[in-house]
PDB file of all heavy atoms in Angstrom:
ATOM      1  N   ALA A  49     -11.263  23.200  20.617  1.00 69.00           N
ATOM      2  CA  ALA A  49     -10.916  22.888  19.227  1.00 69.00           C
ATOM      3  C   ALA A  49     -12.062  23.245  18.280  1.00 69.00           C
ATOM      4  O   ALA A  49     -13.236  23.214  18.644  1.00 69.00           O
ATOM      5  CB  ALA A  49     -10.579  21.407  19.095  1.00 69.00           C
ATOM      6  N   GLU A  50     -11.712  23.578  17.042  1.00 75.00           N
ATOM      7  CA  GLU A  50     -12.687  23.844  15.988  1.00 75.00           C
ATOM      8  C   GLU A  50     -13.316  22.519  15.551  1.00 75.00           C
ATOM      9  O   GLU A  50     -12.601  21.611  15.117  1.00 75.00           O
ATOM     10  CB  GLU A  50     -11.996  24.531  14.805  1.00 75.00           C
ATOM     11  CG  GLU A  50     -12.805  24.580  13.519  1.00 75.00           C
ATOM     12  CD  GLU A  50     -14.134  25.290  13.680  1.00 75.00           C
ATOM     13  OE1 GLU A  50     -14.171  26.378  14.278  1.00 75.00           O
ATOM     14  OE2 GLU A  50     -15.150  24.720  13.204  1.00 75.00           O
ATOM     15  N   PRO A  51     -14.636  22.363  15.645  1.00 77.00           N
ATOM     16  CA  PRO A  51     -15.253  21.052  15.412  1.00 77.00           C
ATOM     17  C   PRO A  51     -15.385  20.648  13.947  1.00 77.00           C
ATOM     18  O   PRO A  51     -15.534  19.473  13.646  1.00 77.00           O
ATOM     19  CB  PRO A  51     -16.637  21.205  16.043  1.00 77.00           C
ATOM     20  CG  PRO A  51     -16.939  22.671  15.956  1.00 77.00           C
ATOM     21  CD  PRO A  51     -15.614  23.357  16.115  1.00 77.00           C
ATOM     22  N   PHE A  52     -15.345  21.569  13.022  1.00 86.00           N
ATOM     23  CA  PHE A  52     -15.662  21.230  11.623  1.00 86.00           C
ATOM     24  C   PHE A  52     -14.394  21.081  10.770  1.00 86.00           C
ATOM     25  O   PHE A  52     -14.337  21.537   9.640  1.00 86.00           O
ATOM     26  CB  PHE A  52     -16.595  22.293  11.028  1.00 86.00           C
ATOM     27  CG  PHE A  52     -17.896  22.398  11.782  1.00 86.00           C
ATOM     28  CD1 PHE A  52     -18.119  23.448  12.660  1.00 86.00           C
ATOM     29  CD2 PHE A  52     -18.879  21.434  11.631  1.00 86.00           C
ATOM     30  CE1 PHE A  52     -19.316  23.542  13.369  1.00 86.00           C
ATOM     31  CE2 PHE A  52     -20.072  21.513  12.328  1.00 86.00           C
ATOM     32  CZ  PHE A  52     -20.297  22.568  13.208  1.00 86.00           C
ATOM     33  N   THR A  53     -13.393  20.439  11.346  1.00 90.00           N
ATOM     34  CA  THR A  53     -12.122  20.232  10.650  1.00 90.00           C
ATOM     35  C   THR A  53     -11.970  18.769  10.261  1.00 90.00           C
ATOM     36  O   THR A  53     -12.172  17.879  11.096  1.00 90.00           O
ATOM     37  CB  THR A  53     -10.940  20.638  11.554  1.00 90.00           C
ATOM     38  OG1 THR A  53     -11.101  22.014  11.936  1.00 90.00           O
ATOM     39  CG2 THR A  53      -9.627  20.467  10.825  1.00 90.00           C
ATOM     40  N   ASN A  54     -11.616  18.512   9.003  1.00 94.00           N
ATOM     41  CA  ASN A  54     -11.396  17.139   8.542  1.00 94.00           C
ATOM     42  C   ASN A  54      -9.937  16.732   8.807  1.00 94.00           C
ATOM     43  O   ASN A  54      -9.021  17.407   8.358  1.00 94.00           O
ATOM     44  CB  ASN A  54     -11.691  17.022   7.043  1.00 94.00           C
ATOM     45  CG  ASN A  54     -13.149  17.296   6.716  1.00 94.00           C
ATOM     46  OD1 ASN A  54     -14.022  16.996   7.523  1.00 94.00           O
ATOM     47  ND2 ASN A  54     -13.418  17.861   5.560  1.00 94.00           N
ATOM     48  N   HIS A  55      -9.770  15.644   9.507  1.00 94.00           N
ATOM     49  CA  HIS A  55      -8.426  15.144   9.823  1.00 94.00           C
ATOM     50  C   HIS A  55      -8.077  13.957   8.926  1.00 94.00           C
ATOM     51  O   HIS A  55      -7.328  13.074   9.330  1.00 94.00           O
ATOM     52  CB  HIS A  55      -8.352  14.720  11.289  1.00 94.00           C
ATOM     53  CG  HIS A  55      -8.728  15.803  12.253  1.00 94.00           C
ATOM     54  ND1 HIS A  55      -7.983  16.947  12.405  1.00 94.00           N
ATOM     55  CD2 HIS A  55      -9.778  15.926  13.104  1.00 94.00           C
ATOM     56  CE1 HIS A  55      -8.551  17.725  13.324  1.00 94.00           C
ATOM     57  NE2 HIS A  55      -9.642  17.130  13.753  1.00 94.00           N
ATOM     58  N   TRP A  56      -8.618  13.922   7.725  1.00 97.00           N
ATOM     59  CA  TRP A  56      -8.458  12.763   6.857  1.00 97.00           C
ATOM     60  C   TRP A  56      -8.516  13.202   5.404  1.00 97.00           C
ATOM     61  O   TRP A  56      -8.889  14.327   5.085  1.00 97.00           O
ATOM     62  CB  TRP A  56      -9.568  11.747   7.137  1.00 97.00           C
ATOM     63  CG  TRP A  56     -10.902  12.408   7.309  1.00 97.00           C
ATOM     64  CD1 TRP A  56     -11.757  12.863   6.324  1.00 97.00           C
ATOM     65  CD2 TRP A  56     -11.542  12.757   8.551  1.00 97.00           C
ATOM     66  NE1 TRP A  56     -12.869  13.436   6.873  1.00 97.00           N
ATOM     67  CE2 TRP A  56     -12.771  13.391   8.239  1.00 97.00           C
ATOM     68  CE3 TRP A  56     -11.199  12.571   9.892  1.00 97.00           C
ATOM     69  CZ2 TRP A  56     -13.648  13.840   9.207  1.00 97.00           C
ATOM     70  CZ3 TRP A  56     -12.070  13.025  10.870  1.00 97.00           C
ATOM     71  CH2 TRP A  56     -13.287  13.659  10.521  1.00 97.00           C
ATOM     72  N   SER A  57      -8.134  12.287   4.507  1.00 97.00           N
ATOM     73  CA  SER A  57      -8.169  12.564   3.076  1.00 97.00           C
ATOM     74  C   SER A  57      -8.432  11.263   2.332  1.00 97.00           C
ATOM     75  O   SER A  57      -8.602  10.203   2.945  1.00 97.00           O
ATOM     76  CB  SER A  57      -6.844  13.176   2.603  1.00 97.00           C
ATOM     77  OG  SER A  57      -5.841  12.173   2.541  1.00 97.00           O
ATOM     78  N   GLU A  58      -8.427  11.356   0.999  1.00 98.00           N
ATOM     79  CA  GLU A  58      -8.637  10.167   0.163  1.00 98.00           C
ATOM     80  C   GLU A  58      -7.525   9.136   0.343  1.00 98.00           C
ATOM     81  O   GLU A  58      -7.685   7.969  -0.035  1.00 98.00           O
ATOM     82  CB  GLU A  58      -8.750  10.556  -1.313  1.00 98.00           C
ATOM     83  CG  GLU A  58      -7.531  11.218  -1.917  1.00 98.00           C
ATOM     84  CD  GLU A  58      -7.456  12.726  -1.672  1.00 98.00           C
ATOM     85  OE1 GLU A  58      -8.310  13.263  -0.913  1.00 98.00           O
ATOM     86  OE2 GLU A  58      -6.553  13.367  -2.253  1.00 98.00           O
ATOM     87  N   LYS A  59      -6.413   9.536   0.933  1.00 98.00           N
ATOM     88  CA  LYS A  59      -5.278   8.623   1.098  1.00 98.00           C
ATOM     89  C   LYS A  59      -5.424   7.722   2.317  1.00 98.00           C
ATOM     90  O   LYS A  59      -4.603   6.811   2.537  1.00 98.00           O
ATOM     91  CB  LYS A  59      -3.973   9.405   1.184  1.00 98.00           C
ATOM     92  CG  LYS A  59      -3.687  10.209  -0.094  1.00 98.00           C
ATOM     93  CD  LYS A  59      -2.282  10.718  -0.151  1.00 98.00           C
ATOM     94  CE  LYS A  59      -2.034  11.497  -1.437  1.00 98.00           C
ATOM     95  NZ  LYS A  59      -2.190  10.670  -2.646  1.00 98.00           N
ATOM     96  N   ASP A  60      -6.458   7.938   3.118  1.00 98.00           N
ATOM     97  CA  ASP A  60      -6.631   7.164   4.343  1.00 98.00           C
ATOM     98  C   ASP A  60      -7.433   5.886   4.095  1.00 98.00           C
ATOM     99  O   ASP A  60      -8.583   5.940   3.636  1.00 98.00           O
ATOM    100  CB  ASP A  60      -7.317   8.006   5.415  1.00 98.00           C
ATOM    101  CG  ASP A  60      -6.407   9.106   5.934  1.00 98.00           C
ATOM    102  OD1 ASP A  60      -5.267   8.795   6.286  1.00 98.00           O
ATOM    103  OD2 ASP A  60      -6.835  10.274   5.966  1.00 98.00           O
ATOM    104  N   ASN A  94      -2.501   3.143   4.906  1.00 98.00           N
ATOM    105  CA  ASN A  94      -1.663   3.953   5.797  1.00 98.00           C
ATOM    106  C   ASN A  94      -2.075   3.882   7.255  1.00 98.00           C
ATOM    107  O   ASN A  94      -1.459   4.530   8.110  1.00 98.00           O
ATOM    108  CB  ASN A  94      -1.662   5.416   5.337  1.00 98.00           C
ATOM    109  CG  ASN A  94      -3.023   6.078   5.495  1.00 98.00           C
ATOM    110  OD1 ASN A  94      -4.016   5.437   5.848  1.00 98.00           O
ATOM    111  ND2 ASN A  94      -3.084   7.372   5.223  1.00 98.00           N
ATOM    112  N   SER A  95      -3.127   3.114   7.563  1.00 98.00           N
ATOM    113  CA  SER A  95      -3.642   3.049   8.931  1.00 98.00           C
ATOM    114  C   SER A  95      -3.942   1.601   9.293  1.00 98.00           C
ATOM    115  O   SER A  95      -4.291   0.796   8.420  1.00 98.00           O
ATOM    116  CB  SER A  95      -4.926   3.880   9.067  1.00 98.00           C
ATOM    117  OG  SER A  95      -4.753   5.195   8.572  1.00 98.00           O
ATOM    118  N   HIS A 136      -1.031   5.203  10.961  1.00 98.00           N
ATOM    119  CA  HIS A 136      -2.004   5.756  11.902  1.00 98.00           C
ATOM    120  C   HIS A 136      -2.585   4.579  12.679  1.00 98.00           C
ATOM    121  O   HIS A 136      -3.166   3.662  12.090  1.00 98.00           O
ATOM    122  CB  HIS A 136      -3.117   6.489  11.161  1.00 98.00           C
ATOM    123  CG  HIS A 136      -2.645   7.617  10.289  1.00 98.00           C
ATOM    124  ND1 HIS A 136      -1.760   8.573  10.729  1.00 98.00           N
ATOM    125  CD2 HIS A 136      -2.932   7.938   9.006  1.00 98.00           C
ATOM    126  CE1 HIS A 136      -1.527   9.442   9.758  1.00 98.00           C
ATOM    127  NE2 HIS A 136      -2.211   9.065   8.697  1.00 98.00           N
ATOM    128  N   LYS A 235      -3.890   7.114  17.615  1.00 97.00           N
ATOM    129  CA  LYS A 235      -4.444   8.347  17.055  1.00 97.00           C
ATOM    130  C   LYS A 235      -5.940   8.199  16.728  1.00 97.00           C
ATOM    131  O   LYS A 235      -6.645   9.186  16.543  1.00 97.00           O
ATOM    132  CB  LYS A 235      -3.700   8.743  15.774  1.00 97.00           C
ATOM    133  CG  LYS A 235      -2.281   9.245  16.023  1.00 97.00           C
ATOM    134  CD  LYS A 235      -2.274  10.559  16.790  1.00 97.00           C
ATOM    135  CE  LYS A 235      -0.878  11.144  16.905  1.00 97.00           C
ATOM    136  NZ  LYS A 235      -0.003  10.362  17.775  1.00 97.00           N
ATOM    137  N   ILE A 236      -6.409   6.946  16.632  1.00 98.00           N
ATOM    138  CA  ILE A 236      -7.818   6.700  16.317  1.00 98.00           C
ATOM    139  C   ILE A 236      -8.388   5.802  17.410  1.00 98.00           C
ATOM    140  O   ILE A 236      -7.871   4.707  17.649  1.00 98.00           O
ATOM    141  CB  ILE A 236      -7.990   6.030  14.938  1.00 98.00           C
ATOM    142  CG1 ILE A 236      -7.222   6.800  13.862  1.00 98.00           C
ATOM    143  CG2 ILE A 236      -9.468   5.937  14.569  1.00 98.00           C
ATOM    144  CD1 ILE A 236      -7.156   6.085  12.523  1.00 98.00           C
ATOM    145  N   ARG A 267     -14.505  13.437  23.703  1.00 96.00           N
ATOM    146  CA  ARG A 267     -13.966  14.119  22.515  1.00 96.00           C
ATOM    147  C   ARG A 267     -13.304  15.435  22.922  1.00 96.00           C
ATOM    148  O   ARG A 267     -12.232  15.777  22.417  1.00 96.00           O
ATOM    149  CB  ARG A 267     -15.063  14.370  21.496  1.00 96.00           C
ATOM    150  CG  ARG A 267     -14.575  15.246  20.338  1.00 96.00           C
ATOM    151  CD  ARG A 267     -15.465  15.226  19.148  1.00 96.00           C
ATOM    152  NE  ARG A 267     -15.051  16.212  18.151  1.00 96.00           N
ATOM    153  CZ  ARG A 267     -15.487  16.240  16.904  1.00 96.00           C
ATOM    154  NH1 ARG A 267     -16.342  15.336  16.477  1.00 96.00           N
ATOM    155  NH2 ARG A 267     -15.079  17.178  16.073  1.00 96.00           N
ATOM    156  N   ILE A 270      -9.902  14.435  24.313  1.00 96.00           N
ATOM    157  CA  ILE A 270      -8.985  13.819  23.350  1.00 96.00           C
ATOM    158  C   ILE A 270      -8.483  14.833  22.336  1.00 96.00           C
ATOM    159  O   ILE A 270      -7.282  14.940  22.072  1.00 96.00           O
ATOM    160  CB  ILE A 270      -9.663  12.620  22.650  1.00 96.00           C
ATOM    161  CG1 ILE A 270      -9.809  11.454  23.636  1.00 96.00           C
ATOM    162  CG2 ILE A 270      -8.870  12.180  21.419  1.00 96.00           C
ATOM    163  CD1 ILE A 270     -10.642  10.300  23.112  1.00 96.00           C
ATOM    164  N   GLU A 271      -9.403  15.617  21.749  1.00 92.00           N
ATOM    165  CA  GLU A 271      -8.946  16.540  20.707  1.00 92.00           C
ATOM    166  C   GLU A 271      -8.191  17.736  21.288  1.00 92.00           C
ATOM    167  O   GLU A 271      -7.415  18.377  20.577  1.00 92.00           O
ATOM    168  CB  GLU A 271     -10.123  16.997  19.836  1.00 92.00           C
ATOM    169  CG  GLU A 271     -11.155  17.849  20.519  1.00 92.00           C
ATOM    170  CD  GLU A 271     -12.323  18.154  19.591  1.00 92.00           C
ATOM    171  OE1 GLU A 271     -12.312  17.701  18.448  1.00 92.00           O
ATOM    172  OE2 GLU A 271     -13.258  18.855  20.036  1.00 92.00           O
ATOM    173  N   SER A 272      -8.391  18.010  22.571  1.00 93.00           N
ATOM    174  CA  SER A 272      -7.579  19.052  23.208  1.00 93.00           C
ATOM    175  C   SER A 272      -6.144  18.561  23.424  1.00 93.00           C
ATOM    176  O   SER A 272      -5.192  19.328  23.297  1.00 93.00           O
ATOM    177  CB  SER A 272      -8.192  19.464  24.548  1.00 93.00           C
ATOM    178  OG  SER A 272      -9.461  20.071  24.358  1.00 93.00           O
ATOM    179  N   GLU A 274      -4.721  15.986  21.621  1.00 94.00           N
ATOM    180  CA  GLU A 274      -4.135  15.633  20.324  1.00 94.00           C
ATOM    181  C   GLU A 274      -5.115  16.076  19.233  1.00 94.00           C
ATOM    182  O   GLU A 274      -6.070  15.362  18.917  1.00 94.00           O
ATOM    183  CB  GLU A 274      -3.892  14.120  20.254  1.00 94.00           C
ATOM    184  CG  GLU A 274      -3.410  13.626  18.895  1.00 94.00           C
ATOM    185  CD  GLU A 274      -2.235  14.408  18.355  1.00 94.00           C
ATOM    186  OE1 GLU A 274      -1.145  14.331  18.951  1.00 94.00           O
ATOM    187  OE2 GLU A 274      -2.421  15.116  17.339  1.00 94.00           O
ATOM    188  N   PRO A 275      -4.897  17.259  18.651  1.00 92.00           N
ATOM    189  CA  PRO A 275      -5.872  17.835  17.702  1.00 92.00           C
ATOM    190  C   PRO A 275      -6.191  16.944  16.510  1.00 92.00           C
ATOM    191  O   PRO A 275      -7.283  17.042  15.945  1.00 92.00           O
ATOM    192  CB  PRO A 275      -5.186  19.130  17.246  1.00 92.00           C
ATOM    193  CG  PRO A 275      -4.256  19.481  18.359  1.00 92.00           C
ATOM    194  CD  PRO A 275      -3.781  18.181  18.912  1.00 92.00           C
ATOM    195  N   ASN A 276      -5.271  16.060  16.126  1.00 93.00           N
ATOM    196  CA  ASN A 276      -5.518  15.196  14.967  1.00 93.00           C
ATOM    197  C   ASN A 276      -6.086  13.835  15.333  1.00 93.00           C
ATOM    198  O   ASN A 276      -6.284  12.990  14.456  1.00 93.00           O
ATOM    199  CB  ASN A 276      -4.220  15.008  14.172  1.00 93.00           C
ATOM    200  CG  ASN A 276      -3.759  16.293  13.523  1.00 93.00           C
ATOM    201  OD1 ASN A 276      -4.561  17.062  13.001  1.00 93.00           O
ATOM    202  ND2 ASN A 276      -2.463  16.557  13.572  1.00 93.00           N
ATOM    203  N   ALA A 277      -6.349  13.600  16.601  1.00 96.00           N
ATOM    204  CA  ALA A 277      -6.915  12.321  17.017  1.00 96.00           C
ATOM    205  C   ALA A 277      -8.374  12.217  16.570  1.00 96.00           C
ATOM    206  O   ALA A 277      -9.066  13.224  16.395  1.00 96.00           O
ATOM    207  CB  ALA A 277      -6.815  12.153  18.526  1.00 96.00           C
ATOM    208  N   ILE A 278      -8.823  10.984  16.391  1.00 96.00           N
ATOM    209  CA  ILE A 278     -10.164  10.717  15.853  1.00 96.00           C
ATOM    210  C   ILE A 278     -10.879   9.711  16.740  1.00 96.00           C
ATOM    211  O   ILE A 278     -10.280   8.751  17.228  1.00 96.00           O
ATOM    212  CB  ILE A 278     -10.054  10.160  14.416  1.00 96.00           C
ATOM    213  CG1 ILE A 278      -9.462  11.204  13.467  1.00 96.00           C
ATOM    214  CG2 ILE A 278     -11.417   9.698  13.895  1.00 96.00           C
ATOM    215  CD1 ILE A 278      -9.108  10.635  12.101  1.00 96.00           C
ATOM    216  N   ILE A 279     -12.190   9.920  16.928  1.00 98.00           N
ATOM    217  CA  ILE A 279     -13.052   8.971  17.637  1.00 98.00           C
ATOM    218  C   ILE A 279     -14.016   8.351  16.638  1.00 98.00           C
ATOM    219  O   ILE A 279     -14.681   9.066  15.880  1.00 98.00           O
ATOM    220  CB  ILE A 279     -13.857   9.664  18.752  1.00 98.00           C
ATOM    221  CG1 ILE A 279     -12.933  10.188  19.851  1.00 98.00           C
ATOM    222  CG2 ILE A 279     -14.909   8.722  19.330  1.00 98.00           C
ATOM    223  CD1 ILE A 279     -13.635  11.111  20.840  1.00 98.00           C
ATOM    224  N   ALA A 297     -21.361  17.511  14.763  1.00 92.00           N
ATOM    225  CA  ALA A 297     -19.904  17.497  14.567  1.00 92.00           C
ATOM    226  C   ALA A 297     -19.173  17.715  15.890  1.00 92.00           C
ATOM    227  O   ALA A 297     -18.042  18.206  15.912  1.00 92.00           O
ATOM    228  CB  ALA A 297     -19.474  18.535  13.539  1.00 92.00           C
ATOM    229  N   HIS A 301     -16.204  11.573  15.503  1.00 97.00           N
ATOM    230  CA  HIS A 301     -15.710  12.031  14.200  1.00 97.00           C
ATOM    231  C   HIS A 301     -16.247  11.093  13.114  1.00 97.00           C
ATOM    232  O   HIS A 301     -16.592  11.539  12.025  1.00 97.00           O
ATOM    233  CB  HIS A 301     -14.187  12.023  14.148  1.00 97.00           C
ATOM    234  CG  HIS A 301     -13.532  12.983  15.093  1.00 97.00           C
ATOM    235  ND1 HIS A 301     -13.185  12.642  16.383  1.00 97.00           N
ATOM    236  CD2 HIS A 301     -13.137  14.269  14.926  1.00 97.00           C
ATOM    237  CE1 HIS A 301     -12.616  13.672  16.971  1.00 97.00           C
ATOM    238  NE2 HIS A 301     -12.564  14.682  16.119  1.00 97.00           N
ATOM    239  N   GLY A 302     -16.271   9.800  13.445  1.00 97.00           N
ATOM    240  CA  GLY A 302     -16.717   8.812  12.473  1.00 97.00           C
ATOM    241  C   GLY A 302     -17.660   7.807  13.098  1.00 97.00           C
ATOM    242  O   GLY A 302     -17.589   7.536  14.304  1.00 97.00           O
ATOM    243  N   GLN A 335     -21.118  16.038   7.310  1.00 93.00           N
ATOM    244  CA  GLN A 335     -20.610  17.411   7.280  1.00 93.00           C
ATOM    245  C   GLN A 335     -19.130  17.419   7.650  1.00 93.00           C
ATOM    246  O   GLN A 335     -18.603  16.446   8.201  1.00 93.00           O
ATOM    247  CB  GLN A 335     -21.420  18.298   8.229  1.00 93.00           C
ATOM    248  CG  GLN A 335     -21.373  17.898   9.697  1.00 93.00           C
ATOM    249  CD  GLN A 335     -22.192  18.818  10.567  1.00 93.00           C
ATOM    250  OE1 GLN A 335     -22.207  20.034  10.368  1.00 93.00           O
ATOM    251  NE2 GLN A 335     -22.899  18.266  11.545  1.00 93.00           N
ATOM    252  N   ASP A 336     -18.453  18.510   7.311  1.00 94.00           N
ATOM    253  CA  ASP A 336     -17.041  18.620   7.643  1.00 94.00           C
ATOM    254  C   ASP A 336     -16.838  18.354   9.134  1.00 94.00           C
ATOM    255  O   ASP A 336     -17.606  18.819   9.981  1.00 94.00           O
ATOM    256  CB  ASP A 336     -16.511  20.011   7.286  1.00 94.00           C
ATOM    257  CG  ASP A 336     -16.264  20.164   5.790  1.00 94.00           C
ATOM    258  OD1 ASP A 336     -16.126  19.129   5.100  1.00 94.00           O
ATOM    259  OD2 ASP A 336     -16.220  21.312   5.314  1.00 94.00           O
ATOM    260  N   GLY A 337     -15.781  17.624   9.443  1.00 94.00           N
ATOM    261  CA  GLY A 337     -15.518  17.240  10.826  1.00 94.00           C
ATOM    262  C   GLY A 337     -16.099  15.892  11.184  1.00 94.00           C
ATOM    263  O   GLY A 337     -15.884  15.397  12.292  1.00 94.00           O
ATOM    264  N   THR A 338     -16.847  15.278  10.248  1.00 96.00           N
ATOM    265  CA  THR A 338     -17.393  13.942  10.465  1.00 96.00           C
ATOM    266  C   THR A 338     -17.176  13.116   9.203  1.00 96.00           C
ATOM    267  O   THR A 338     -17.004  13.659   8.109  1.00 96.00           O
ATOM    268  CB  THR A 338     -18.899  13.976  10.783  1.00 96.00           C
ATOM    269  OG1 THR A 338     -19.634  14.418   9.625  1.00 96.00           O
ATOM    270  CG2 THR A 338     -19.206  14.908  11.946  1.00 96.00           C
ATOM    271  N   MET A 339     -17.206  11.796   9.363  1.00 97.00           N
ATOM    272  CA  MET A 339     -17.062  10.918   8.196  1.00 97.00           C
ATOM    273  C   MET A 339     -17.650   9.547   8.519  1.00 97.00           C
ATOM    274  O   MET A 339     -17.753   9.141   9.679  1.00 97.00           O
ATOM    275  CB  MET A 339     -15.588  10.797   7.784  1.00 97.00           C
ATOM    276  CG  MET A 339     -14.629  10.397   8.855  1.00 97.00           C
ATOM    277  SD  MET A 339     -14.560   8.629   9.271  1.00 97.00           S
ATOM    278  CE  MET A 339     -13.355   8.639  10.603  1.00 97.00           C
ATOM    279  N   ILE A 429     -14.307   6.750   4.812  1.00 98.00           N
ATOM    280  CA  ILE A 429     -13.001   6.082   4.864  1.00 98.00           C
ATOM    281  C   ILE A 429     -13.223   4.577   4.817  1.00 98.00           C
ATOM    282  O   ILE A 429     -14.009   4.044   5.601  1.00 98.00           O
ATOM    283  CB  ILE A 429     -12.246   6.460   6.146  1.00 98.00           C
ATOM    284  CG1 ILE A 429     -11.862   7.947   6.128  1.00 98.00           C
ATOM    285  CG2 ILE A 429     -10.990   5.607   6.320  1.00 98.00           C
ATOM    286  CD1 ILE A 429     -11.172   8.420   7.391  1.00 98.00           C
ATOM    287  N   HIS A 498     -12.167  11.729  -1.735  1.00 98.00           N
ATOM    288  CA  HIS A 498     -12.035  12.270  -0.381  1.00 98.00           C
ATOM    289  C   HIS A 498     -13.266  11.846   0.417  1.00 98.00           C
ATOM    290  O   HIS A 498     -14.383  11.834  -0.107  1.00 98.00           O
ATOM    291  CB  HIS A 498     -11.938  13.799  -0.424  1.00 98.00           C
ATOM    292  CG  HIS A 498     -11.661  14.422   0.917  1.00 98.00           C
ATOM    293  ND1 HIS A 498     -12.632  14.548   1.895  1.00 98.00           N
ATOM    294  CD2 HIS A 498     -10.528  14.969   1.452  1.00 98.00           C
ATOM    295  CE1 HIS A 498     -12.117  15.127   2.957  1.00 98.00           C
ATOM    296  NE2 HIS A 498     -10.836  15.394   2.720  1.00 98.00           N
ATOM    297  N   PRO A 499     -13.092  11.463   1.699  1.00 98.00           N
ATOM    298  CA  PRO A 499     -14.233  10.992   2.491  1.00 98.00           C
ATOM    299  C   PRO A 499     -15.414  11.955   2.543  1.00 98.00           C
ATOM    300  O   PRO A 499     -16.553  11.530   2.774  1.00 98.00           O
ATOM    301  CB  PRO A 499     -13.627  10.793   3.883  1.00 98.00           C
ATOM    302  CG  PRO A 499     -12.194  10.463   3.603  1.00 98.00           C
ATOM    303  CD  PRO A 499     -11.818  11.310   2.419  1.00 98.00           C
ATOM    304  N   ASN A 500     -15.169  13.248   2.338  1.00 98.00           N
ATOM    305  CA  ASN A 500     -16.255  14.228   2.384  1.00 98.00           C
ATOM    306  C   ASN A 500     -16.595  14.801   1.018  1.00 98.00           C
ATOM    307  O   ASN A 500     -17.352  15.779   0.927  1.00 98.00           O
ATOM    308  CB  ASN A 500     -15.891  15.365   3.335  1.00 98.00           C
ATOM    309  CG  ASN A 500     -15.732  14.895   4.770  1.00 98.00           C
ATOM    310  OD1 ASN A 500     -14.646  14.528   5.191  1.00 98.00           O
ATOM    311  ND2 ASN A 500     -16.824  14.861   5.506  1.00 98.00           N
TER     312      ASN A 500
END
Side-chain angles (χ1 to χ4, degrees):
E50 167 58 46
F52 300 103
T53 302
N54 296 328
H55 304 294
W56 42 80
S57 75
E58 62 276 6
K59 298 193 179 298
D60 290 310
N94 67 354
S95 308
H136 302 312
K235 289 294 186 291
I236 309 171
R267 172 164 172 166
I270 289 172
E271 67 184 0
S272 295
E274 174 50 67
N276 293 319
I278 295 170
I279 295 169
H301 295 90
Q335 61 180 320
D336 283 340
T338 67
M339 53 79 182
I429 293 177
H498 186 284
N500 296 90

